Amino acid sequence: MKKLTLEQISDSFILSCKRFPISIFFLLWFTVSLIYFALGKSSDAQFFNIFYSGSAALLTCVLRLWEEEFDDLKRCRIIQGAIHLCWLAVVVYISFYCDMNQTVWNCVFALSFTIAIAFFIVPFFKENDDISLWNFTFHAFLTFVLSFIVAQILMCGVLLLLISFRELFGLVLWGEAYYDVAVVCNAFIAPFLFLQLIPKHDKIHNGSVKGLPKFMYGIIHYLFIPLTAAYLITLYVYAAKIIFQWELPEGWVSWLVTGLMTLMTIIIIAVYPSLFGEGHDVDKKIVKWLPMFVLPLLLLMSIGILRRISDYGITANRLYISLFNLWCYGVCIWLIVRKATRIVWIPISFTVLLLLSSVGPQNFSSLVFSSLKSDVIKGLKVTKVAKLPMDIATYKKWSKHDDASMNDIISNLYYLKNQYGNKELADIADSLTLERINYFSEDKSICDIEINYLCDDNALMIPDGYKHVIPNYSYTENKVKVDGDKITFIVEYEVNGKKMKLPIEVSIKKMKSIENSKYIVPVKCSNAVLYFSSFTFSENSKKLYFYGTIFY
């Protein structure tokens, strides 16, 4: 074994900086952004700096690998510049001109996933088979794991040193030292080590048929394949059961079929080199027969999805899982017809479908939003809502109607406000009304009082004359007594194993007066003082929930 010298390490470092200089610059930007924006509130500038720098680091790495495969360097640089400008424009638009709802997050994920997949595929677009791609992907996986293990060891060592300074000398270098060290190790050092370990252009096209190491090969054969067989047996037995009983499959079966499809894909990709070598008859039979056994079971998933949509309506997640189901059909048929000679089309097809369903005006989230919002507005008009947009009084009056469709309307409205935010529903209800709409299958009530002090870390003052405390008490949505302005309820607790009851009476007027307070305000009643961290109350249903500390 050759001895690794300091000169060799230095040369490797310099070559890496020359090969990926822009990527390293963006990694530095990404690291500084994570540290700088750590203590600040979430903002557009924060998202832009963190997302753009992180994604651009990966994008520039991908483009550099592509450049090494390109003959016309001048033309390549022009295309690279155009791609960078387009990506910068996309991130600026997302960061500063879009509200961060579910639609935008899906778009961000799809674009980031596409760049990540491109890292593996771009260097091999001229290849006639996928052996070089497989070898590079396996090497990248190992080096990625190794880089982060080294970074974690370094991080633990530095953190131990900082803790030692504090314990031995009482020295704290700076307040956020632990966080900063973790960021530097994970956001800069680990990716930087990974960049250094990416094979050079002359070694990246490794067409040797080696396959997995024996240990990993054993994991595939003695863990993954038996688990896949167990999934197959379970699903075929379940299919026979529902055919015999003549009933529809449960929606849950989709998860099991998804797990089976994932295992099949991992196994086929893992044993792919075996198709090009001598022997390995078991692997070749697995690749040949496994997609044939999986294909009929996809019908269970299809029926389960249709049943969920029929029972509970359409959502973006159900559209995604439906598209995934169609993709599974395509993958199985492709593997059967082409005998798995090319596997690169598996990630490419998945990425293309993800992009088409998540980016652009035709994305699933927007389609579902438009459809459900239209249904809600039509439903409100059919059930004779007094006016749109609704305020709290209008909603209360409307919710007293007895109509079979009202639960569906409230369910859809609750889903829309959680997934897309209040701003998108401004023509249906004002923000306060939307904030207080809760959905329970048996309850159409709206919160009349809602208090949440999620960020109040101030110490609580012990009231004069009170000697006992019930800390962190949670009272969950039980019906309470309401008499005029008073809400009366019983707090049950234990003292030395003995069950005790403490009657509490609070004023509705008092609670409404502190609703918009920025800090926890003590609420005094006849026999106790309460500090509510959260408090939710509905007059119609007489339901109360609160969490807080009680002095008595």
Side-chain angles (χ1 to χ4, degrees):
M1 181 182 289
K2 291 183 178 180
K3 186 178 179 181
L4 187 65
T5 65
L6 187 62
E7 185 180 356
Q8 289 174 324
I9 295 173
S10 176
D11 290 342
S12 176
F13 174 81
I14 293 170
L15 285 173
S16 176
C17 292
K18 288 181 177 179
R19 190 183 182 194
F20 301 106
I22 305 176
S23 296
I24 293 170
F25 166 75
F26 280 118
L27 282 176
L28 283 169
W29 183 355
F30 179 61
T31 305
V32 172
S33 297
L34 286 173
I35 293 172
Y36 178 77
F37 289 106
L39 299 178
K41 293 182 179 179
S42 179
S43 65
D44 294 343
Q46 178 187 24
F47 178 82
F48 170 79
N49 280 276
I50 293 174
F51 176 58
Y52 177 67
S53 58
S55 60
L58 181 57
L59 178 62
T60 50
C61 180
V62 172
L63 292 176
R64 174 59 179 165
L65 294 177
W66 176 67
E67 179 187 316
E68 293 176 347
E69 306 297 321
F70 215 88
D71 297 326
D72 189 346
L73 190 59
K74 184 178 179 180
R75 184 184 171 195
C76 177
R77 294 286 170 81
I78 293 172
I79 295 173
Q80 284 182 325
I83 292 173
H84 275 299
L85 287 174
C86 289
W87 182 242
L88 176 60
V90 167
V91 178
V92 167
Y93 178 74
I94 291 173
S95 301
F96 299 102
Y97 298 97
C98 292
D99 295 321
M100 298 306 293
N101 55 34
Q102 191 61 48
T103 302
V104 177
W105 283 118
N106 289 347
C107 176
V108 167
F109 173 79
L111 292 170
S112 304
F113 183 84
T114 301
I115 297 173
I117 292 296
F119 171 82
F120 298 98
I121 295 172
V122 159
F124 308 100
F125 64 93
K126 296 179 181 178
E127 299 284 342
N128 294 320
D129 60 48
D130 299 326
I131 290 295
S132 296
L133 168 63
W134 191 96
N135 288 329
F136 174 73
T137 303
F138 181 65
H139 178 271
F141 172 76
L142 291 183
T143 53
F144 180 83
V145 173
L146 177 63
S147 299
F148 272 88
I149 288 175
V150 171
Q152 296 307 307
I153 293 172
L154 177 63
M155 181 185 73
C156 292
V158 175
L159 290 178
L160 180 60
L161 187 62
L162 292 176
I163 293 170
S164 299
F165 287 162
R166 187 191 66 195
E167 297 296 327
L168 299 178
F169 306 106
L171 179 62
V172 177
L173 298 182
W174 67 93
E176 302 299 325
Y178 302 140
Y179 171 79
D180 293 348
V181 168
V183 168
V184 170
C185 290
N186 290 285
F188 180 76
I189 293 177
F192 181 78
L193 292 174
F194 178 71
L195 289 177
Q196 286 204 326
L197 294 172
I198 295 175
K200 296 178 178 63
H201 176 251
D202 55 340
K203 296 180 180 179
I204 204 170
H205 295 275
N206 176 14
S208 60
V209 183
K210 293 182 180 179
L212 292 170
K214 286 185 178 180
F215 174 72
M216 298 183 74
Y217 193 75
I219 290 175
I220 293 295
H221 275 262
Y222 299 111
L223 291 180
F224 279 42
I225 290 176
L227 182 60
T228 304
Y231 274 50
L232 284 168
I233 293 169
T234 302
L235 286 166
Y236 271 107
V237 169
Y238 178 70
K241 170 181 173 286
I242 62 174
I243 290 172
F244 179 75
Q245 296 179 348
W246 201 245
E247 61 183 17
L248 292 173
E250 295 290 336
W252 175 257
V253 78
S254 298
W255 290 104
L256 199 59
V257 176
T258 300
L260 174 63
M261 188 68 194
T262 304
L263 284 169
M264 184 198 78
T265 305
I266 291 171
I267 290 169
I268 289 177
I269 291 175
V271 303
Y272 177 73
S274 301
L275 304 180
F276 298 88
E278 297 294 331
H280 301 290
D281 293 336
V282 173
D283 291 346
K284 292 173 182 177
K285 287 179 180 178
I286 287 171
V287 171
K288 178 181 178 180
W289 291 103
L290 188 54
M292 295 184 185
F293 282 111
V294 172
L295 184 59
L297 296 173
L298 295 176
L299 187 61
L300 286 175
M301 184 177 181
S302 302
I303 298 171
I305 293 167
L306 291 173
R307 181 175 180 181
R308 297 284 290 185
I309 292 174
S310 175
D311 291 345
Y312 304 108
I314 195 169
T315 64
N317 288 342
R318 289 178 191 133
L319 285 183
Y320 276 115
I321 198 70
S322 301
L323 183 62
F324 175 74
N325 182 232
L326 293 175
W327 176 78
C328 292
Y329 280 110
V331 168
C332 286
I333 293 170
W334 170 266
L335 292 173
I336 292 168
V337 173
R338 294 299 302 271
K339 297 181 174 57
T341 53
R342 298 298 302 269
I343 56 173
V344 69
W345 292 107
I346 295 176
I348 287 177
S349 60
F350 184 89
T351 304
V352 169
L353 290 177
L354 181 63
L355 277 174
L356 291 175
S357 58
S358 304
V359 181
Q362 80 292 341
N363 71 82
F364 284 170
S365 292
S366 294
L367 294 176
V368 168
F369 173 76
S370 299
S371 175
L372 291 182
K373 185 177 179 181
S374 176
D375 290 345
V376 167
I377 292 174
K378 287 178 183 176
L380 288 170
K381 290 179 178 178
V382 168
T383 50
K384 298 179 180 179
V385 67
K387 66 174 183 177
L388 289 176
M390 297 182 290
D391 54 22
I392 290 179
T394 305
Y395 179 87
K396 282 185 179 182
K397 185 177 179 181
W398 170 79
S399 65
K400 292 177 181 177
H401 292 302
D402 188 14
D403 192 289
S405 65
M406 290 183 68
N407 278 343
D408 290 337
I409 296 171
I410 297 172
S411 174
N412 288 338
L413 189 56
Y414 187 77
Y415 173 82
L416 289 172
K417 75 152 185 167
N418 281 339
Q419 296 295 320
Y420 302 97
N422 296 345
K423 189 175 179 180
E424 300 293 334
L425 303 173
D427 53 340
I428 294 179
D430 61 42
S431 60
L432 183 60
T433 304
L434 290 169
E435 283 293 337
R436 297 191 177 182
I437 289 177
N438 289 296
Y439 175 68
F440 308 97
S441 57
E442 77 287 349
D443 180 25
K444 302 188 287 290
S445 63
I446 189 168
C447 299
D448 293 278
I449 304 172
E450 188 164 21
I451 299 172
N452 285 291
Y453 300 109
L454 299 179
C455 301
D456 191 348
D457 297 324
N458 291 328
L460 301 179
M461 299 296 293
I462 301 175
D464 293 336
Y466 293 88
K467 299 180 180 180
H468 307 284
V469 61
I470 307 173
N472 305 322
Y473 187 82
S474 179
Y475 187 91
T476 55
E477 291 178 299
N478 298 309
K479 287 198 172 183
V480 296
K481 182 180 178 182
V482 179
D483 184 12
D485 180 55
K486 303 298 182 183
I487 305 172
T488 305
F489 53 93
I490 302 294
V491 169
E492 296 182 352
Y493 61 101
E494 287 189 10
V495 176
N496 298 325
K498 185 179 179 182
K499 291 185 177 180
M500 310 287 285
K501 292 185 178 181
L502 178 68
I504 300 290
E505 185 178 87
V506 296
S507 166
I508 295 175
K509 186 177 179 181
K510 170 65 176 177
M511 296 308 300
K512 287 185 176 181
S513 71
I514 65 172
E515 203 168 8
N516 298 318
S517 174
K518 295 181 180 179
Y519 304 103
I520 295 179
V521 177
V523 177
K524 206 165 187 178
C525 58
S526 59
N527 56 347
V529 175
L530 301 94
Y531 289 86
F532 293 112
S533 298
S534 61
F535 186 96
T536 304
F537 173 67
S538 170
E539 290 184 25
N540 284 348
S541 63
K542 305 295 188 292
K543 285 191 173 182
L544 170 66
Y545 164 80
F546 73 81
Y547 181 84
T549 299
I550 304 171
F551 292 95
Y552 66 97

